[in-house]
Amino acid sequence: MNKTIFFLILAVCILGMALILLNQRLGRAPEPRPTARAEQSVVADAPMTEPAPEYPVPARVPSPEEDAPRAPAALPEAVERAAESEREAAAAAAAALAVEQKEATEALKAVPPAPVTPPAAATAQATPKAPAASAPAEAPARRAASAPARAPEPAAAPAKKAASQEKAPAQSHAAGPRAITRFVVFARDTGATVRLTGNGPLRYKSMNLENPDRVVLDLEGDWEVKAPAVPKNPLVSAVRVGDLDGRTRIVIDLKGKPRTARVIPAKTGDGVDVRVDQ
């Protein structure tokens, strides 16, 4: 009886160990390693790939746009500044030359005219003097010699007429229509310069207004003026012209509030510059 129980227990233990080993064998089944013959068959079955043929790469032909000559680059800012300074220097030199010519003309007018010898005096000087025979004969000669010295008044009359004739064209020119002969806008890096030049003296009043920002010039009288074109610049957007109560108003519209806005009159009195900077 005891032997039978012992064998049963032993059989149960052997069976349990067999089941455990079976479970381990099923859970971790090793992968079969390919043999040399299998590797050869895989290599034999793989498709053969030939290297791609090498074709000569054609040379790149430039397009007509690339062959065309390129346009010259824009002038640098330094060259533009030099050109503007040269233009301003030329304008200043022309204004100084006009002032010198005006002063020379006034100096010529101030010189008194030379006395004109009347015909009677010329004939008296041309006739030879008679020999001194007696005192009564010398008296007429002395009177003839003293006559030209006391008769400068006939010569002054033609000079006054000439002066009045010279003043007449000037007065008629001043009474003619007043016009702005030059009205341009120069662009700068930090702003712009608006330049006006008239055919006569400019009398004006300037104002700086806000909302919107603008500079206003009121010229006294009616002036013939045409608004100029405004080049690309960082501050001035447009220039407008109008009439207001016998005055000519010029409005310079700004893109923003300027850091400085200066009105510089010309030395000759017939022009003005408006310089605005950011």
Side-chain angles (χ1 to χ4, degrees):
M1 187 66 180
N2 292 332
K3 292 182 177 180
T4 303
I5 294 171
F6 176 74
F7 284 120
L8 288 173
I9 293 172
L10 182 61
V12 170
C13 291
I14 294 171
L15 183 60
M17 293 177 66
L19 291 173
I20 291 170
L21 293 173
L22 182 61
N23 288 333
Q24 290 179 356
R25 185 67 63 86
L26 292 175
R28 297 180 181 178
E31 296 179 356
R33 296 182 178 179
T35 60
R37 290 182 179 179
E39 291 179 356
Q40 292 178 359
S41 64
V42 170
V43 172
D45 294 339
M48 297 296 290
T49 59
E50 297 180 357
E54 296 183 358
Y55 297 100
V57 179
R60 182 173 177 273
V61 179
S63 61
E65 290 79 5
E66 294 179 354
D67 289 340
R70 296 184 179 180
L75 292 176
E77 297 177 354
V79 177
E80 293 181 358
R81 292 180 183 175
E84 182 179 355
S85 63
E86 289 180 0
R87 290 194 295 268
E88 293 179 355
L97 182 59
V99 172
E100 291 178 359
Q101 291 179 353
K102 185 176 180 181
E103 291 177 355
T105 304
E106 293 177 355
L108 290 175
K109 291 180 180 180
V111 176
V116 179
T117 304
T123 55
Q125 291 178 1
T127 56
K129 293 182 180 181
S134 61
E138 294 178 358
R142 290 179 181 178
R143 291 175 185 175
S146 61
R150 288 181 297 178
E153 295 180 358
K160 290 181 180 179
K161 292 181 180 179
S164 62
Q165 290 177 359
E166 290 178 359
K167 291 181 180 179
Q171 293 177 357
S172 63
H173 177 74
R178 290 180 290 185
I180 300 298
T181 58
R182 189 183 184 193
F183 197 4
V184 294
V185 180
F186 298 109
R188 293 184 286 105
D189 295 340
T190 59
T193 300
V194 181
R195 177 167 296 172
L196 294 88
T197 304
N199 61 352
L202 293 179
R203 295 181 178 87
Y204 60 88
K205 292 182 180 179
S206 62
M207 296 178 289
N208 296 337
L209 303 179
E210 297 179 352
N211 297 324
D213 296 312
R214 59 198 184 277
V215 179
V216 177
L217 282 179
D218 284 339
L219 306 180
E220 293 183 6
D222 295 330
W223 291 81
E224 294 181 1
V225 57
K226 184 178 179 182
V230 179
K232 186 177 180 182
N233 66 90
L235 199 54
V236 176
S237 60
V239 177
R240 296 178 287 126
V241 178
D243 297 329
L244 180 66
D245 297 332
R247 294 171 294 171
T248 303
R249 171 161 287 189
I250 297 174
V251 181
I252 303 171
D253 295 325
L254 305 178
K255 299 177 183 178
K257 186 174 182 180
R259 181 173 58 86
T260 58
R262 296 178 294 169
V263 180
I264 306 171
K267 294 181 180 180
T268 55
D270 60 350
V272 63
D273 283 358
V274 181
R275 295 174 62 92
V276 290
D277 294 284
Q278 289 180 336

mmCIF file of all heavy atoms in Angstrom, residues 6-24:
data_model
loop_
_atom_site.group_PDB
_atom_site.id
_atom_site.type_symbol
_atom_site.label_atom_id
_atom_site.label_comp_id
_atom_site.label_asym_id
_atom_site.label_seq_id
_atom_site.Cartn_x
_atom_site.Cartn_y
_atom_site.Cartn_z
ATOM 1 N N PHE A 6 3.593 5.929 -3.007
ATOM 2 C CA PHE A 6 4.869 6.549 -3.357
ATOM 3 C C PHE A 6 5.014 6.662 -4.863
ATOM 4 O O PHE A 6 5.430 7.693 -5.403
ATOM 5 C CB PHE A 6 6.018 5.700 -2.757
ATOM 6 C CG PHE A 6 7.371 6.192 -3.149
ATOM 7 C CD1 PHE A 6 7.904 7.346 -2.600
ATOM 8 C CD2 PHE A 6 8.103 5.498 -4.120
ATOM 9 C CE1 PHE A 6 9.141 7.749 -2.994
ATOM 10 C CE2 PHE A 6 9.350 5.904 -4.481
ATOM 11 C CZ PHE A 6 9.897 7.068 -3.916
ATOM 12 N N PHE A 7 4.660 5.572 -5.589
ATOM 13 C CA PHE A 7 4.778 5.613 -7.040
ATOM 14 C C PHE A 7 3.818 6.603 -7.672
ATOM 15 O O PHE A 7 4.130 7.275 -8.668
ATOM 16 C CB PHE A 7 4.547 4.197 -7.619
ATOM 17 C CG PHE A 7 5.740 3.296 -7.434
ATOM 18 C CD1 PHE A 7 5.626 2.107 -6.701
ATOM 19 C CD2 PHE A 7 6.966 3.626 -8.022
ATOM 20 C CE1 PHE A 7 6.723 1.261 -6.533
ATOM 21 C CE2 PHE A 7 8.045 2.747 -7.828
ATOM 22 C CZ PHE A 7 7.947 1.590 -7.100
ATOM 23 N N LEU A 8 2.622 6.742 -7.082
ATOM 24 C CA LEU A 8 1.667 7.730 -7.596
ATOM 25 C C LEU A 8 2.195 9.156 -7.448
ATOM 26 O O LEU A 8 2.098 9.999 -8.354
ATOM 27 C CB LEU A 8 0.326 7.585 -6.891
ATOM 28 C CG LEU A 8 -0.496 6.346 -7.264
ATOM 29 C CD1 LEU A 8 -1.738 6.246 -6.364
ATOM 30 C CD2 LEU A 8 -0.892 6.394 -8.726
ATOM 31 N N ILE A 9 2.755 9.417 -6.261
ATOM 32 C CA ILE A 9 3.304 10.768 -6.030
ATOM 33 C C ILE A 9 4.455 11.028 -6.988
ATOM 34 O O ILE A 9 4.588 12.118 -7.563
ATOM 35 C CB ILE A 9 3.740 10.909 -4.573
ATOM 36 C CG1 ILE A 9 2.494 10.867 -3.655
ATOM 37 C CG2 ILE A 9 4.510 12.221 -4.355
ATOM 38 C CD1 ILE A 9 2.826 10.809 -2.159
ATOM 39 N N LEU A 10 5.308 10.051 -7.216
ATOM 40 C CA LEU A 10 6.435 10.215 -8.119
ATOM 41 C C LEU A 10 5.967 10.443 -9.548
ATOM 42 O O LEU A 10 6.511 11.303 -10.287
ATOM 43 C CB LEU A 10 7.327 8.967 -8.045
ATOM 44 C CG LEU A 10 8.612 9.004 -8.911
ATOM 45 C CD1 LEU A 10 9.500 10.153 -8.474
ATOM 46 C CD2 LEU A 10 9.346 7.659 -8.793
ATOM 47 N N ALA A 11 4.909 9.721 -9.924
ATOM 48 C CA ALA A 11 4.387 9.899 -11.282
ATOM 49 C C ALA A 11 3.821 11.303 -11.467
ATOM 50 O O ALA A 11 3.992 11.943 -12.524
ATOM 51 C CB ALA A 11 3.313 8.839 -11.555
ATOM 52 N N VAL A 12 3.098 11.797 -10.414
ATOM 53 C CA VAL A 12 2.537 13.161 -10.510
ATOM 54 C C VAL A 12 3.653 14.188 -10.636
ATOM 55 O O VAL A 12 3.578 15.156 -11.410
ATOM 56 C CB VAL A 12 1.649 13.458 -9.290
ATOM 57 C CG1 VAL A 12 1.260 14.942 -9.258
ATOM 58 C CG2 VAL A 12 0.403 12.602 -9.346
ATOM 59 N N CYS A 13 4.762 14.059 -9.878
ATOM 60 C CA CYS A 13 5.884 15.013 -9.954
ATOM 61 C C CYS A 13 6.528 14.986 -11.324
ATOM 62 O O CYS A 13 6.853 16.037 -11.908
ATOM 63 C CB CYS A 13 6.907 14.655 -8.862
ATOM 64 S SG CYS A 13 6.293 14.981 -7.174
ATOM 65 N N ILE A 14 6.718 13.751 -11.890
ATOM 66 C CA ILE A 14 7.337 13.664 -13.213
ATOM 67 C C ILE A 14 6.450 14.306 -14.274
ATOM 68 O O ILE A 14 6.894 14.999 -15.180
ATOM 69 C CB ILE A 14 7.648 12.199 -13.528
ATOM 70 C CG1 ILE A 14 8.738 11.668 -12.569
ATOM 71 C CG2 ILE A 14 8.073 12.034 -14.979
ATOM 72 C CD1 ILE A 14 8.948 10.170 -12.672
ATOM 73 N N LEU A 15 5.123 14.086 -14.139
ATOM 74 C CA LEU A 15 4.192 14.674 -15.095
ATOM 75 C C LEU A 15 4.195 16.207 -15.024
ATOM 76 O O LEU A 15 4.162 16.907 -16.028
ATOM 77 C CB LEU A 15 2.790 14.136 -14.824
ATOM 78 C CG LEU A 15 1.697 14.611 -15.806
ATOM 79 C CD1 LEU A 15 2.023 14.200 -17.227
ATOM 80 C CD2 LEU A 15 0.331 14.013 -15.378
ATOM 81 N N GLY A 16 4.239 16.724 -13.783
ATOM 82 C CA GLY A 16 4.280 18.207 -13.636
ATOM 83 C C GLY A 16 5.543 18.794 -14.239
ATOM 84 O O GLY A 16 5.519 19.832 -14.913
ATOM 85 N N MET A 17 6.702 18.120 -13.998
ATOM 86 C CA MET A 17 7.934 18.628 -14.590
ATOM 87 C C MET A 17 7.888 18.558 -16.107
ATOM 88 O O MET A 17 8.382 19.469 -16.812
ATOM 89 C CB MET A 17 9.117 17.821 -14.061
ATOM 90 C CG MET A 17 9.379 18.037 -12.562
ATOM 91 S SD MET A 17 10.716 17.011 -11.958
ATOM 92 C CE MET A 17 12.067 17.701 -12.858
ATOM 93 N N ALA A 18 7.268 17.541 -16.656
ATOM 94 C CA ALA A 18 7.156 17.421 -18.106
ATOM 95 C C ALA A 18 6.299 18.540 -18.679
ATOM 96 O O ALA A 18 6.604 19.125 -19.734
ATOM 97 C CB ALA A 18 6.590 16.054 -18.466
ATOM 98 N N LEU A 19 5.201 18.851 -17.964
ATOM 99 C CA LEU A 19 4.341 19.953 -18.428
ATOM 100 C C LEU A 19 5.070 21.298 -18.395
ATOM 101 O O LEU A 19 4.930 22.134 -19.299
ATOM 102 C CB LEU A 19 3.079 20.006 -17.575
ATOM 103 C CG LEU A 19 2.097 18.839 -17.760
ATOM 104 C CD1 LEU A 19 0.955 18.913 -16.738
ATOM 105 C CD2 LEU A 19 1.537 18.820 -19.170
ATOM 106 N N ILE A 20 5.856 21.508 -17.333
ATOM 107 C CA ILE A 20 6.614 22.778 -17.235
ATOM 108 C C ILE A 20 7.615 22.892 -18.367
ATOM 109 O O ILE A 20 7.746 23.943 -19.016
ATOM 110 C CB ILE A 20 7.298 22.860 -15.868
ATOM 111 C CG1 ILE A 20 6.238 23.033 -14.767
ATOM 112 C CG2 ILE A 20 8.284 24.019 -15.819
ATOM 113 C CD1 ILE A 20 6.793 22.889 -13.346
ATOM 114 N N LEU A 21 8.332 21.788 -18.619
ATOM 115 C CA LEU A 21 9.303 21.837 -19.712
ATOM 116 C C LEU A 21 8.628 22.045 -21.065
ATOM 117 O O LEU A 21 9.140 22.740 -21.954
ATOM 118 C CB LEU A 21 10.129 20.542 -19.721
ATOM 119 C CG LEU A 21 11.061 20.337 -18.520
ATOM 120 C CD1 LEU A 21 11.698 18.928 -18.579
ATOM 121 C CD2 LEU A 21 12.150 21.406 -18.548
ATOM 122 N N LEU A 22 7.438 21.462 -21.249
ATOM 123 C CA LEU A 22 6.717 21.629 -22.497
ATOM 124 C C LEU A 22 6.280 23.081 -22.700
ATOM 125 O O LEU A 22 6.370 23.637 -23.803
ATOM 126 C CB LEU A 22 5.518 20.686 -22.526
ATOM 127 C CG LEU A 22 4.686 20.719 -23.812
ATOM 128 C CD1 LEU A 22 5.529 20.315 -25.013
ATOM 129 C CD2 LEU A 22 3.481 19.779 -23.672
ATOM 130 N N ASN A 23 5.785 23.664 -21.612
ATOM 131 C CA ASN A 23 5.375 25.072 -21.718
ATOM 132 C C ASN A 23 6.571 25.963 -22.059
ATOM 133 O O ASN A 23 6.471 26.912 -22.862
ATOM 134 C CB ASN A 23 4.743 25.539 -20.408
ATOM 135 C CG ASN A 23 3.351 24.911 -20.201
ATOM 136 O OD1 ASN A 23 2.680 24.570 -21.176
ATOM 137 N ND2 ASN A 23 2.936 24.744 -18.948
ATOM 138 N N GLN A 24 7.700 25.773 -21.443
ATOM 139 C CA GLN A 24 8.887 26.569 -21.757
ATOM 140 C C GLN A 24 9.338 26.370 -23.193
ATOM 141 O O GLN A 24 9.748 27.307 -23.881
ATOM 142 C CB GLN A 24 10.026 26.192 -20.793
ATOM 143 C CG GLN A 24 9.786 26.650 -19.360
ATOM 144 C CD GLN A 24 10.913 26.254 -18.429
ATOM 145 O OE1 GLN A 24 11.851 25.561 -18.866
ATOM 146 N NE2 GLN A 24 10.825 26.665 -17.155
#
